Amino acid sequence: MSQSNARGGRWFFIKNVEKMSRVTTALSSNAITGRTMFCHLDASANAISVCRDASQVVVAGRNIFKIYALEEEQFVEKLNLRVGRKPSLNFSCADVMWHQMEENLLATAATNGAVVTWNLGKPSRNKQDQLFTEHKRTVNKVCFHPTEVYMLLSGSQDGFMKCFDLRKKESVSTFSGQSESVRDVQFSMKDYFTFAASFENGNVQLWDIRRPDRYERMFTAHTGPVFCCDWHPDDRGWLATGGRDKMVKVWDMTTNRAKEIYCVQTIASVARVKWRPERKYHLATCSMMVDHNIYVWDIRRPFIPFATFEEHKDVTTGIVWRHQHDPHFLLSGSKDSTLYQHMFKDATRPVDKANPEGLCFGLLGDLAFAAKESLISSDPSRKPYPGGDRRYPIFFFKKPDPTEQFAHVSSALSVFETDLASNRMDWFVKTAQLYLLCGKPFAELCDHNAKVAHELKRPQVSTTWTMLRIMFSDPANLTASGQNLNLSKLGTLPLMNSFNMKESGAGMGPESRLERSKGESRQDNSHLEPGNLHISNNNEENEETEGSEGQAEYMFGDAELDDDDLYSMEHDNPTEELEYTLPQEAFPLRHEIMDNPAAPEHLQQDKSDSPHVSGNEAEVTCLTPIESFSLISISQPLFSPSLRPASSAP
Amino acid sequence: MASEKGVDVPRALVSGPSAFIPAEQTLKGELDQDILIESFLSLGRADHATMVMALHPAYLSCFLRAQHALLELDGPLPCHWRHYIAVMAAARHHCSYLVQQHSAGFLEAGGEESWLSGLQHAPIKLRSLQTLNRLLAHRPWLITQQHIQELVCPGAEPRWSLAELIHAVILMAHAHSLSSFVWGCGLNPEPDHIGGYTFQPASPGHLPHSPHSPAPEDGRQELVEGAMEVEVLMKRMVELQQQEEECTQEEMVTRFERERSERIPTAVVRGAPPDLLLHLVEDPEFRYEDFAPRGEQSPPTMRAQDYSWEDHGFSLVNRLLPDMGQLLDEKFQVVSNLTYHRMAMHEGVDTHTLRKALWNYIHCLYGIRYDDYDYGSVNVLLERSLKLFVKTMACHPEQTTARIYHSFWRHFRHSEKVHANLIVMEARLQAALLYTLRAITHYMR
């Protein structure tokens, strides 16, 4: 605020402050309350907007234009602005905006190219005020100036933006984007004269409202259309853009060249983006196609949404935060003809359901494994960061609300390198050559493939084929071929425990040279030796590792930590393992699968067996963990309402 | 030498790629050689469609890229299936040119010859596309999510995956619209097609020429008239751009409906499909039907603003068939921006309004309405003979005749008429896709 636009002049600045403070007061004196609720509209909405005091919302669409009051328990229809027996296309709205200073003033963008203003103070039933028909094509967006009562901006499919003075009958200036289709226009919240426009060809332009002859700046923000943009409410330089390329990007506009500082990859084209009030790093998005959810992202954690609202049954077309200083209420309209108020506390938190483990094979058989740090380390003394998180400033008096924080997840990443000498991938080629996938009855195919896998010393795969046969083939054949069908009996066999995932995890233990294969007359003994590395300071390459934290810092692991702690596993039952022999006749090993617990629960329950490889391949390939990274990350406090960190995360 | 051994040597019957356009017009030196070389290398031949399209090299290159991706690159459907689907689609418009092209492709890709002798020999899964094929070709506005559901939902037997289905849909729509182009440009059969060669020795002194070669331009009177038409059109385009006419909502709707239901008498009798195609077409009587005049049971209009290629179609296609959305998008963009700033004998003309009118007229014939377009312009800019051509091509391509081709835009270059053809072809493709993609979106909802 204190750096208000130099060009803007003192007067506007003062005015600005006055307005802001007035609004703020309004909130504190009359705190918003409510609950998650919805109401049915008669038609699908294209856009919504709230009035300044957050007490009413307007919904606009092709066949709807109504105002609802937001009451404690419900939406109440206040006014239908669509009047007349056969409403004209001027009522077919692509966008709507409620003036943030003049509570009786609304503007709509019509699909036929009209820009219409509405005066709720009119005594007549028809509230239409002004009608501007200067655009030749659909108007995609209208935007009131945040502080100037009479200034309205429009952006149209015809490639033009027009600025209207509502006291005049015609536009006062026209801005040519020199390109088809303006998708969004937004006045800067801080710079009195500046507005941003986004285009179908992927460009974003910055204009000075006094200079209609040419844009101040232009850059390509996305491949394909940029459907939306939004200025950060507090930070003058930040502009968020969303595109058909499924990305949300945050641009720092204070530098000479617009600089992309954050990028969030969503799963569908981004139709709307709105910064969350009072949260510097949060923004909400919704999509135009396929995906009906609303996401709130912490832009520093671009791989998983911070919160999700999943109520809508068709695409969400309009989102707006109910009050410009309240982060807890989000309103949304949708093609499913409903209007929702979402309470932030009722949002789904995807991170709670996310699997914090990641496993990936490298091209040459190397194996990387990332897991929650707490799972990896069984040593209680190994605190992630004993000194506490230094990024909580000492004067951070407000205790952070747990619902406003991403779960602290710190991950450890281990990389196991394949011993090249014994790295035999012949089985892969042979498997490809010998498998039969058609041409015989199903059961025979399974038997054949089971046999192939068995001969290639891949007993679990072999068993899987057998299972497949049992599960999906004719039961008559089954009884003929299987003798050990009594699964419960098999379940009591002593050898089963020894052949489970824990053991394969243990197989990678440093000191254990595991002869798991002896019963199977296997040649490639698992042979694993650990060596490891500790990585100090911020390890940026690891940001993208699944399960690790986006922008979190990776701290030096305790260097003195005994590496064996990481990988040594208690063998559940070494003696049992000795007893383990694979029946020569191979297949009836179904019980193995039955006995294997589902991986995630297993991991969570048992902290000791972490570098835990739950694939079949892992047992065949000989793994030597010559490098293992121990990375400990600490997530940072994700917001600080009262202060902006001087340095943001790297 | 072959003939000495008693082997019949075939002789090409046709000269030049098109029966409507004189060969020398398509093979002018101004052509972009590179693109022809490129297509020759990728297709193994420069077929007639390519040679005519080469009049617009910018378009040809993205057309070939999209077609290549559709037929050859990685995708959910096996190659021979793709060609067979194209055969099924082209057969709906009696386009023996494409049927033969894709039959050859089908066999090359290892397809079983018997399938080509009749639909009943093809796998039931392919045959289950017939309804969609029929609707897509003639009345795409009737496609609903039920049609999609029947093919895709669990329990459907045989079941299509969404990715396979969208691949098939694009293949069909591509073949339908390409059929329009083939008919609209009067493409000659390739030398190896039926009708493209003969074993009869040439009669001495008789130059091979196609059966329906253009009527020679004759009569000064007609030339003068033609020139007048161009002048009038130019004037109207300028007027339209300046015009600030306000008209009521009612009037706008009326104008749209008038264009949509205007009686453009396309050929009355539709011939039966040629023998070659007879058994590849099911229910040959099903065809485009004129929208009834307003008030009667006309199917609802689709509002372009509610489901557009840019906002919706693209994302869906790209999601289900990565990269295909991009390739189609490129094609649509190139076609809608293609201009040489000239019209007939005039240079430096902004033809935007004319191109827009053509595009929107075709979408109008398919029931797609733009809220922000005044359909009065269509009536002003598109003379009746042009409308006849466009409507025939877009809706009943198999009825295109040389006469229809030659009677519109008499003073324009052939390349400009081919340009019009491209617009019709792409607008038609987009319209058909939009309806199907909307149905798929509804199904996925």
Side-chain angles (χ1 to χ4, degrees):
Chain A
M1 248 351 203
S2 60
Q3 304 171 4
S4 183
N5 186 359
R7 286 175 320 208
R10 188 94 194 126
W11 184 79
F12 295 119
F13 166 54
I14 293 167
K15 195 169 159 191
N16 211 346
V17 172
E18 275 171 10
K19 290 279 149 36
M20 290 302 192
S21 55
R22 206 164 70 206
V23 171
T24 318
T25 327
L27 175 65
S28 50
S29 67
N30 185 15
I32 298 171
T33 54
R35 60 182 187 100
T36 295
M37 60 187 186
F38 75 100
C39 77
H40 286 288
L41 311 169
D42 328 319
S44 65
N46 279 344
I48 60 175
S49 185
V50 279
C51 67
R52 184 187 63 192
D53 64 4
S55 63
Q56 296 181 74
V57 57
V58 57
V59 182
R62 172 173 292 283
N63 295 310
I64 184 171
F65 188 22
K66 281 184 180 173
I67 290 177
Y68 288 87
L70 285 151
E71 297 190 349
E72 195 83 354
E73 293 290 313
Q74 59 184 347
F75 290 98
V76 175
E77 185 180 328
K78 273 281 185 237
L79 186 63
N80 187 357
L81 288 149
R82 221 179 132 77
V83 293
R85 256 189 315 130
K86 250 194 167 263
S88 86
L89 270 183
N90 295 340
F91 283 98
S92 170
C93 307
D95 190 35
V96 64
M97 183 164 178
W98 205 315
H99 204 295
Q100 290 305 295
M101 294 168 60
E102 179 51 67
E103 59 191 17
N104 278 332
L105 193 53
L106 286 103
T108 55
T111 53
N112 67 353
V115 173
V116 193
T117 61
W118 310 81
N119 182 357
L120 301 180
K122 273 193 168 183
S124 60
R125 236 162 63 79
N126 188 348
K127 309 288 185 195
Q128 181 172 326
D129 195 15
Q130 298 249 57
L131 176 67
F132 303 99
T133 53
E134 295 180 36
H135 283 296
K136 292 216 163 35
R137 303 278 316 272
T138 297
V139 179
N140 289 317
K141 197 77 196 172
V142 283
C143 182
F144 281 115
H145 195 279
T147 54
E148 242 345 272
V149 179
Y150 297 110
M151 200 186 284
L152 175 68
L153 189 64
S154 64
S156 157
Q157 200 74 12
D158 63 11
F160 291 101
M161 295 140 279
K162 283 175 185 284
C163 183
F164 302 94
D165 181 332
L166 300 184
R167 292 162 295 196
K168 295 183 179 151
K169 289 261 175 284
E170 281 167 7
S171 64
V172 286
S173 39
T174 299
F175 309 85
S176 169
Q178 309 282 340
S179 125
E180 280 250 315
S181 311
V182 187
R183 298 308 299 242
D184 200 354
V185 285
Q186 293 288 342
F187 275 112
S188 163
M189 301 293 281
K190 299 288 177 187
D191 269 341
Y192 182 86
F193 293 112
T194 305
F195 72 88
S198 74
F199 290 83
E200 203 151 288
N201 62 8
N203 287 343
V204 169
Q205 295 177 356
L206 232 56
W207 289 81
D208 184 322
I209 201 87
R210 298 162 298 184
R211 293 281 310 271
D213 52 326
R214 61 163 291 125
Y215 52 80
E216 301 251 287
R217 188 192 282 188
M218 178 167 83
F219 61 97
T220 302
H222 293 266
T223 38
V226 190
F227 287 137
C228 52
C229 60
D230 196 33
W231 289 95
H232 197 286
D234 304 320
D235 197 308
R236 159 213 302 274
W238 286 14
L239 180 72
T241 58
R244 194 173 68 182
D245 59 3
K246 308 180 191 172
M247 305 224 239
V248 179
K249 293 182 181 177
V250 177
W251 303 87
D252 182 359
M253 310 293 279
T254 52
T255 47
N256 278 337
R257 291 189 55 201
K259 193 171 138 228
E260 182 187 323
I261 47 175
Y262 292 102
C263 178
V264 175
Q265 178 95 45
T266 71
I267 58 165
S269 64
V270 181
R272 311 263 177 189
V273 56
K274 288 279 173 232
W275 288 99
R276 190 172 173 210
E278 311 289 308
R279 297 288 182 272
K280 176 163 179 173
Y281 295 103
H282 287 191
L283 47 77
T285 65
C286 65
S287 168
M288 204 170 267
M289 274 298 287
V290 188
D291 186 5
H292 310 159
N293 295 346
I294 302 164
Y295 301 101
V296 178
W297 300 88
D298 183 308
I299 51 178
R300 298 163 302 177
R301 294 278 301 265
F303 303 108
I304 189 160
F306 177 61
T308 310
F309 300 104
E310 297 169 342
E311 280 84 358
H312 285 300
K313 304 277 186 293
D314 199 342
V315 286
T316 307
T317 47
I319 48 176
V320 63
W321 294 95
R322 185 168 161 191
H323 191 282
Q324 52 179 312
H325 292 288
D326 187 329
H328 303 296
F329 296 82
L330 180 71
L331 300 171
S332 67
S334 159
K335 281 225 162 126
D336 67 6
S337 303
T338 58
L339 173 65
Y340 258 93
Q341 169 167 280
H342 311 273
M343 293 289 293
F344 209 78
K345 65 175 169 60
D346 297 336
T348 315
R349 298 306 185 86
V351 76
D352 297 342
K353 295 181 201 150
N355 183 358
E357 284 81 37
L359 181 70
C360 189
F361 270 104
L363 200 58
L364 299 171
D366 298 352
L367 179 70
F369 176 69
K372 250 185 174 166
E373 206 268 332
S374 54
L375 293 180
I376 294 284
S377 161
S378 53
D379 180 1
S381 68
R382 189 180 165 187
K383 281 268 162 54
Y385 194 78
D389 191 340
R390 66 184 157 82
R391 274 156 306 187
Y392 283 100
I394 209 80
F395 46 90
F396 190 78
F397 51 89
K398 212 161 140 188
K399 200 161 184 332
D401 175 1
T403 64
E404 289 293 339
Q405 301 239 313
F406 253 125
H408 282 239
V409 180
S410 45
S411 301
L413 174 68
S414 317
V415 176
F416 301 90
E417 198 170 77
T418 309
D419 179 355
L420 284 175
S422 63
N423 175 22
R424 301 216 331 269
M425 291 291 280
D426 312 356
W427 59 267
F428 185 79
V429 178
K430 283 201 181 126
T431 303
Q433 286 166 342
L434 294 174
Y435 267 4
L436 289 179
L437 297 174
C438 56
K440 281 186 179 182
F442 182 75
E444 279 178 45
L445 289 177
C446 288
D447 280 343
H448 172 86
N449 293 343
K451 203 169 153 208
V452 168
H454 179 69
E455 277 161 6
L456 293 168
K457 319 235 165 11
R458 309 187 67 226
Q460 285 205 337
V461 175
S462 168
T463 311
T464 307
W465 281 110
T466 313
M467 277 305 283
L468 279 177
R469 191 202 69 217
I470 292 166
M471 289 191 291
F472 294 109
S473 68
D474 185 4
N477 295 336
L478 193 68
T479 25
S481 62
Q483 285 159 357
N484 281 331
L485 271 181
N486 190 337
L487 296 180
S488 61
K489 199 156 77 186
L490 277 174
T492 63
L493 287 178
L495 54 87
M496 46 167 295
N497 278 341
S498 63
F499 193 67
N500 62 16
M501 296 201 294
K502 283 175 195 166
E503 290 308 314
S504 54
M508 274 176 299
E511 79 283 53
S512 73
R513 184 176 253 264
L514 207 61
E515 308 242 340
R516 332 178 356 81
S517 50
K518 56 179 151 23
E520 311 158 13
S521 65
R522 194 146 103 156
Q523 279 104 51
D524 50 337
N525 292 342
S526 299
H527 175 106
L528 304 168
E529 316 242 15
N532 49 30
L533 278 181
H534 287 289
I535 302 257
S536 61
N537 67 35
N538 305 345
N539 187 325
E540 300 212 353
E541 295 99 80
N542 281 298
E543 272 180 33
E544 306 205 0
T545 309
E546 209 183 320
S548 70
E549 301 309 309
Q551 286 284 335
E553 285 183 26
Y554 294 90
M555 308 306 297
F556 212 141
D558 311 1
E560 65 280 9
L561 177 75
D562 189 352
D563 301 314
D564 290 356
D565 285 352
L566 273 174
Y567 305 108
S568 72
M569 257 43 78
E570 290 95 10
H571 292 227
D572 289 351
N573 257 324
T575 47
E576 272 183 11
E577 184 179 76
L578 292 175
E579 287 166 21
Y580 171 67
T581 48
L582 188 74
Q584 288 303 316
E585 299 301 6
F587 316 127
L589 273 176
R590 299 174 292 269
H591 56 282
E592 283 168 15
I593 293 169
M594 282 189 46
D595 192 55
N596 281 344
E601 290 97 283
H602 177 69
L603 264 183
Q604 274 149 22
Q605 286 153 13
D606 192 342
K607 297 189 176 190
S608 63
D609 59 355
S610 22
H612 169 130
V613 182
S614 55
N616 305 314
E617 280 75 10
E619 352 171 83
V620 188
T621 323
C622 201
L623 295 170
T624 314
I626 58 140
E627 273 187 305
S628 81
F629 301 89
S630 169
L631 305 166
I632 299 155
S633 69
I634 298 156
S635 66
Q636 23 184 337
L638 290 182
F639 76 100
S640 45
S642 49
L643 40 97
R644 253 160 254 144
S647 62
S648 48
Chain B
M1 221 171 70
S3 51
E4 283 164 19
K5 293 186 178 169
V7 178
D8 285 337
V9 179
R11 185 169 57 82
L13 260 184
V14 296
S15 68
S18 159
F20 300 166
I21 308 166
E24 58 275 15
Q25 289 268 346
T26 55
L27 301 172
K28 271 193 297 207
E30 70 185 70
L31 285 179
D32 192 323
Q33 292 290 332
D34 293 346
I35 184 66
L36 280 179
I37 292 168
E38 191 186 301
S39 74
F40 178 76
L41 291 176
S42 78
L43 299 174
R45 74 196 300 173
D47 59 19
H48 292 163
T50 311
M51 282 158 80
V52 173
M53 268 182 212
L55 287 166
H56 303 279
Y59 175 79
L60 178 58
S61 73
C62 65
F63 172 84
L64 289 175
R65 255 199 314 279
Q67 183 170 258
H68 180 67
L70 209 48
L71 291 169
E72 312 293 340
L73 295 186
D74 279 353
L77 294 175
C79 270
H80 63 291
W81 276 44
R82 303 182 197 187
H83 284 287
Y84 194 77
I85 290 170
V87 166
M88 280 164 51
R92 284 239 56 103
H93 284 312
H94 306 179
C95 184
S96 58
Y97 178 90
L98 282 183
V99 167
Q100 292 184 73
Q101 292 279 71
H102 287 292
S103 297
F106 170 76
L107 295 175
E108 254 168 55
E112 210 174 298
E113 198 163 357
S114 66
W115 295 13
L116 294 173
S117 63
L119 285 170
Q120 69 276 14
H121 301 291
I124 187 160
K125 183 164 171 180
L126 276 172
R127 278 185 281 151
S128 67
L129 282 179
Q130 274 302 348
T131 310
L132 205 54
N133 183 22
R134 198 168 58 217
L135 293 173
L136 206 52
H138 309 292
R139 300 176 206 168
W141 53 89
L142 296 180
I143 297 173
T144 63
Q145 70 183 88
Q146 266 70 41
H147 294 109
I148 306 300
Q149 196 169 342
E150 278 163 22
L151 297 171
V152 173
C153 81
E157 198 51 52
R159 185 177 174 187
W160 286 78
S161 78
L162 271 177
E164 289 171 336
L165 182 66
I166 208 127
H167 195 176
V169 162
I170 297 173
L171 275 166
M172 289 189 282
H174 174 83
H176 294 146
S177 63
L178 194 54
S179 302
S180 283
F181 181 82
V182 169
W183 285 108
C185 291
L187 291 194
N188 281 324
E190 299 287 332
D192 55 340
H193 284 178
I194 294 167
Y197 61 89
T198 179
F199 288 105
Q200 303 291 316
S203 52
H206 178 260
L207 286 170
H209 87 94
S210 58
H212 35 233
S213 69
E217 294 281 333
D218 51 15
R220 274 187 60 82
Q221 187 57 33
E222 204 164 288
L223 272 176
V224 173
E225 266 175 35
M228 284 291 287
E229 283 167 13
V230 180
E231 298 304 329
V232 171
L233 181 56
M234 289 279 290
K235 212 170 127 222
R236 285 175 173 174
M237 280 166 62
V238 173
E239 278 168 6
L240 261 183
Q241 270 166 336
Q242 291 163 347
Q243 181 185 51
E244 288 285 336
E245 181 206 7
E246 285 298 313
C247 61
T248 63
Q249 162 76 5
E250 284 288 298
E251 176 60 20
M252 292 291 267
V253 177
T254 313
R255 287 180 183 181
F256 172 78
E257 292 296 341
R258 190 174 60 209
E259 293 308 322
R260 168 154 98 160
S261 52
E262 185 180 13
R263 296 209 70 78
I264 303 286
T266 47
V268 196
V269 190
R270 174 173 149 132
D275 293 345
L276 172 70
L277 310 173
L278 202 52
H279 29 270
L280 291 170
V281 185
E282 227 172 49
D283 187 9
E285 289 311 306
F286 190 87
R287 53 196 286 197
Y288 178 87
E289 195 172 50
D290 286 340
F291 282 91
R294 207 166 158 226
E296 293 169 45
Q297 289 179 344
S298 61
T301 347
M302 169 145 137
R303 304 299 191 109
Q305 273 83 358
D306 291 351
Y307 200 95
S308 70
W309 168 256
E310 289 77 15
D311 291 6
H312 306 96
F314 173 90
S315 300
L316 183 61
V317 171
N318 241 20
R319 187 183 188 90
L320 296 173
L321 206 59
D323 298 339
M324 190 46 71
Q326 201 64 47
L327 290 164
L328 290 170
D329 196 47
E330 230 169 81
K331 225 151 54 98
F332 293 141
Q333 279 192 16
V334 166
V335 138
S336 62
N337 294 328
L338 190 67
T339 179
Y340 304 94
H341 303 288
R342 62 177 191 216
M343 230 174 75
M345 55 293 239
H346 299 273
E347 300 286 334
V349 187
D350 179 1
T351 57
H352 180 262
T353 44
L354 185 58
R355 286 180 283 130
K356 192 92 210 157
L358 263 176
W359 182 277
N360 287 354
Y361 177 58
I362 298 144
H363 275 193
C364 166
L365 292 173
Y366 276 88
I368 298 177
R369 178 177 164 205
Y370 292 80
D371 284 347
D372 55 4
Y373 189 74
D374 176 3
Y375 288 86
S377 320
V378 168
N379 214 28
V380 175
L381 297 178
L382 309 190
E383 37 146 2
R384 211 174 157 77
S385 58
L386 173 56
K387 276 187 182 168
L388 175 63
F389 173 75
V390 169
K391 184 163 181 185
T392 308
M393 241 192 90
C395 308
H396 311 276
E398 60 282 359
Q399 293 167 4
T400 315
T401 60
R403 191 190 160 84
I404 296 177
Y405 176 85
H406 288 293
S407 61
F408 81 98
W409 280 3
R410 276 172 296 181
H411 249 71
F412 284 60
R413 296 173 180 81
H414 283 291
S415 75
E416 288 170 311
K417 292 189 170 193
V418 173
H419 187 173
N421 262 304
L422 294 179
I423 293 178
V424 178
M425 161 163 127
E426 290 295 324
R428 185 186 167 194
L429 171 68
Q430 195 183 72
L433 281 180
L434 281 177
Y435 281 110
T436 324
L437 294 173
R438 184 177 66 166
I440 293 176
T441 307
H442 287 171
Y443 169 76
M444 289 169 73
R445 192 163 54 189

